[in-house]
Amino acid sequence: MDDRKLKILTAVVDEYIVSGEPVGSKAIMSHVKASSATIRNEMAELEKQGYLEQPHTSAGRVPTYKGYRLYVDRLMEQDPLSEDEKKELDAMLPEDFVTEKDLVEKASLALAELTKCATVVANSTPKFSIISKVEVIPTGKRMYVILMITSNGEIKNKVCRLEFDLTHEQLEFFDNFVKQNLNGVPLEELSDDYISKLTEAMGTYMMTLSPLVSELVKMTKELDRSVILKGQKNLLTCKDFDQSEIISFLDNEKELMDFIDGTFSGLNVMFSPEKDGFVIHNSSIITSPFSKGGRTAGALGLIGPMRIDYAKFIPYLEYFTSRISDMISQRDDVSDDDKEL
């Protein structure tokens, strides 16, 4: 595709994002130095190539998802955030937050208000989490509580009833065994084969302590990845969408995880025609990951029509996820300092 066609496609997308109306050749003349007839011919060629389409015979053209894909991947010029804009975005984030979940949810609400899109938060548990701590606490006759903490801050506990009381020696062995064989292990590596080898490695302690290992494995299976949707009203009031599709989508929010599952590696822009099974036609999903301690902890995303302002919204999204990562790290650093004191 030559340079003029690329400029015309860029201009059509930019104009359509603003107006929501089919774009004619006259609107493009202010962007491209060419006659109206030449621009019409080029637009017709772009239509043949699948980048534009004509809703009505006498109307102008609108971008197809293929046109949006080329625009986002190669042609779009992002609007850099000014220092004043960064200060405004910072003011939308809580200075004090109790949990990471609280921080991310408030950021997603702010982003929904800012963009008038829906926002989605997806955690990466157990995809990227590791076991940070496991502790067994005696609570009564043959009753024990297993406490597990993961790297992304998830805390799980489970009451385990055994057929016998554990001795101090057995509890001490289990504590050391866990520290050596489970602390620091990614949850996704806890396969049946791994657990089987782990249990066998207990030797003479296998019969007495294997029930604790079994309960611990069950706890890791319960750490399902989850999604939280905010700003649903923005989808319901968007004229670009079929309302029945939005209602169907809101009834099946969990299905979002399947679409976001591969987006934790970096900024990702997806279009509904590229995702089989996504019920909202003419939509796009933009996601950006946030991290904790150098590991991906989750992703924050936008859901809106395909004609959203990518050049404006992507910098917003990336700034929010960058700040979330920084704020989580800063709090963890302060916590570590407190422990040392």
Side-chain angles (χ1 to χ4, degrees), residues 13-24:
V13 176
D14 286 338
E15 289 286 338
Y16 185 62
I17 283 173
V18 173
S19 69
E21 300 292 335
V23 181

Side-chain angles (χ1 to χ4, degrees), residues 314-334:
I314 287 176
Y316 286 163
L317 177 60
E318 290 187 308
Y319 187 76
F320 269 116
T321 51
S322 174
R323 290 292 296 126
I324 288 169
S325 300
D326 290 343
M327 292 172 76
I328 291 173
S329 297
Q330 288 167 8
R331 191 185 70 164
D332 287 349
D333 289 343
V334 169

Side-chain angles (χ1 to χ4, degrees), residues 14 17 71 76-80 308-315:
D14 286 338
I17 283 173
Y71 174 83
M76 175 184 67
E77 293 184 8
Q78 291 188 28
D79 300 332
I308 61 175
D309 194 341
Y310 299 94
K312 186 175 183 179
F313 291 174
I314 287 176

Side-chain angles (χ1 to χ4, degrees), residues 247-256:
I247 293 171
S248 177
F249 166 74
L250 295 177
D251 286 338
N252 297 279
E253 291 179 16
K254 289 289 184 182
E255 293 180 5
L256 260 177

